[in-house]
Amino acid sequence: MKYNIEKIILWLKNGKKRELEFKPNKVNVITGDSNTGKTAILEIIDYCYFSSKSTISESIINENVSWYGLKININDKTYTIGRKALFEGNVSNEYYFSSIGEVPLENPEANNNQDNIKSLLETEFSIDKTVSFPIGYGSNNIKVGSKISLRYFLMFNTISQDLITNSQRIFFDKQNESRYRDALPRIFDIATGIEKIENILKKEKKVELEKSLAKLKSKESEISKKSNFFQQEQKSLIRKAKEFSLINPDTIEKDAVNELNEVIGGTTIEAGTGIEREKLEKERNIIKRKIKNLKDFTNEYSIFKKNLTDVEDSLKPITFIQTETDRIIKTNNFKTLISLLSTELNEIKEARKTKTPIDKQVLDEISQLNFKMNSLENRLESLPKENKIFENDKEKYMFIGEVKAKMDLYSKSNISPSASVKEEIEKIEEELESIVITDTETKREATIKLLEEIIRDYMITVDKAMENYKDFLPVFDYKNKSLLLRKPKTTFYENVGSSSNHMFLHLFFSLAMHEIIFKNGSPYVAPFLIIDQPSRPYYGDDGLRKSDKDHSDDYKITQAFKLLDIFIAERNENKGEFQMIVFEHISKNLFKDMKNVYLVDSEFKNGNALIPKTMM
């Protein structure tokens, strides 16, 4: 995406207007004395980008400002956002917005609201309802499925002075706020382009389909259970009806249901001879004997094969003796014996070569017989084991009433899986097979390696400024989203000392992140970076602390600006855009010869400041 801040506007209460202009594709430096309002610029940008609280200083700044504003360029469009100043420390809900970048000469008038402006800007950042916190990524502060706010992605665009001086390996601002702390690990892969929204939507679609499939299969299982119960209950009714000779004992189950319905309707069924059970039991006994004989045969055949193997093993020495006969003994009788044994060995080998599938055939036969056995058992379940009679007509009609009630109940119930349920299951299974999800883990590992490679190049660029750590290897701690240094040829992570080294680590980290974002084509993070006083570790009230060559503070901060200058140059060469805004209190002489470094306004000193004395 294209993005740059064109200017910051302060509408003062005295009617004057203060503007600071920035150039695109440059390192824009605002430098000067302390307490001149440099750090407030970062807070003003954050305030105009819809912050719910602000630390803009009341003294000098907020007490003199009526409105704060930004003029920005996004994707070849120009917008102006204005927000009324804080009142008694509370943020304002009054906004001014111009879709053509118009900057009012006098105090703006509120003409829009935060939700509308934010929604429009999020569209420019490719943030729509699909850019949401995915399933499994919720927390106490984050609702699953809620749209990811533009403000969460802005964490990649700032390096505050608090970060630079922090030794706790924290590399993102706002981590003292729980919602930003929760959001960071959840948006990181999306922000850096490791994960694509299309891939997340596929994952969520797969989860939804799997849930639907599980429900349908559960429904199918429940219906199947009801069906099995119904089958057992129906067999029990048929058997009992046959025992009391209400229906013909020899009638098969399918026809028995019809006969039961006829009995319920008042038809008298002529009882049969009841020879069906006797016939089925006889057939069942024959099958049982066959199964037993086949199993006995299988056991005997296994013993035979084992004995044959043992005999073959016992004759194996004959092969050796045959080759050594001439040296061992020369009698004709012995040679004849050896020859005969050898012939028997060969015959056994030949017999073992001609393997027959007898084992499989027998097992197949047993399986078929078991199937027939089960079928007979099911038929026998519906036949009476003995003939009974009702003690009186009352008992008979009560039984017929019970049969009628149950037959009516089952006829009205859904007792078999419907074709629609099965079709829906098949449809979902086909859809699941068609979903191709990208392996994010592989992309993540490759991105981490690339990130570390880029940082190593940055370390080489600044070289001696890293002093003892110049030859160390960078390691990205994905879990904690921080940068570590590893001593070469060891697994030891150095506990990096001095705020100077921390400053360089933050520069390496943020620049590398933006390079990864650029290479992966992520549209959610704007190509700009605000750095608040990177020279803070070197400069105090008394100026520079070291002056020896290659170790002086001015050498190190010059190397830091050299790194920023090279980053802008390389981005321009790669047909990309990037803007930096850096607040400093160093002399402009330290970067005056750098092509891509631009001094904003004049130095903040001798009365010049964010709000100059001449404008108060």
Side-chain angles (χ1 to χ4, degrees), residues 8 13 16 41 78 111 126 135 145 151 157 173 179-180 185 188 210 242 244 263 304 332 336 368 371 451 516 545 578:
I8 289 177
K13 291 178 178 178
K16 296 179 180 180
I41 295 173
T78 302
N111 65 356
S126 300
I135 295 172
R151 286 189 56 79
N157 297 115
D173 277 315
R179 63 193 179 102
Y180 286 94
F188 186 85
E210 286 173 342
K242 288 179 177 180
F244 286 105
V263 170
F304 165 73
N332 289 330
T336 301
Q368 290 175 12
F371 179 78
L451 182 75
I516 290 293
R545 292 194 292 271
F578 203 85

Side-chain angles (χ1 to χ4, degrees), residues 327-425:
R327 286 197 305 117
I328 298 172
I329 192 163
K330 296 183 179 181
T331 66
N332 289 330
N333 290 337
F334 189 79
K335 287 183 178 180
T336 301
L337 175 62
I338 295 302
S339 178
L340 289 172
L341 291 173
S342 177
T343 300
E344 290 181 5
L345 176 61
N346 290 332
E347 288 175 355
I348 292 172
K349 287 181 177 178
E350 288 300 319
R352 284 172 58 78
K353 281 182 183 177
T354 57
K355 295 179 181 178
T356 61
I358 189 168
D359 301 56
K360 186 177 186 307
Q361 290 174 2
V362 172
L363 291 174
D364 287 346
E365 182 67 19
I366 291 173
S367 177
Q368 290 175 12
L369 290 171
N370 279 325
F371 179 78
K372 288 182 180 179
M373 175 78 78
N374 291 333
S375 179
L376 287 172
E377 294 288 359
N378 287 332
R379 290 171 64 185
L380 283 166
E381 282 183 15
S382 63
L383 295 176
K385 294 181 180 180
E386 57 180 325
N387 292 324
K388 298 179 181 179
I389 60 172
F390 293 108
E391 292 184 3
N392 50 54
D393 286 344
K394 178 182 177 183
E395 187 178 332
K396 175 182 176 180
Y397 293 125
M398 284 181 66
F399 173 72
I400 292 174
E402 178 189 351
V403 172
K404 182 179 186 303
K406 288 187 176 180
M407 295 298 285
D408 287 345
L409 174 65
Y410 291 129
S411 66
K412 295 175 182 177
S413 301
N414 182 14
I415 56 164
S416 61
S418 65
S420 61
V421 172
K422 290 185 176 180
E423 287 175 4
E424 201 168 347
I425 288 175

Side-chain angles (χ1 to χ4, degrees), residues 418-474:
S418 65
S420 61
V421 172
K422 290 185 176 180
E423 287 175 4
E424 201 168 347
I425 288 175
E426 290 174 0
K427 182 180 178 182
I428 291 177
E429 287 176 340
E430 288 177 3
E431 194 171 353
L432 280 170
E433 288 180 5
S434 68
I435 296 176
V436 179
I437 296 174
T438 304
D439 182 4
T440 305
E441 189 61 35
T442 301
K443 180 74 177 289
R444 183 182 296 119
E445 290 175 1
T447 300
I448 290 172
K449 289 180 181 177
L450 177 58
L451 182 75
E452 292 169 348
E453 183 180 329
I454 292 170
I455 292 173
R456 182 61 195 146
D457 286 342
Y458 293 158
M459 292 176 69
I460 293 172
T461 298
V462 300
D463 193 27
K464 296 176 182 177
M466 289 293 292
E467 297 193 355
N468 297 339
Y469 303 109
K470 63 186 180 66
D471 295 322
F472 277 53
L473 301 175

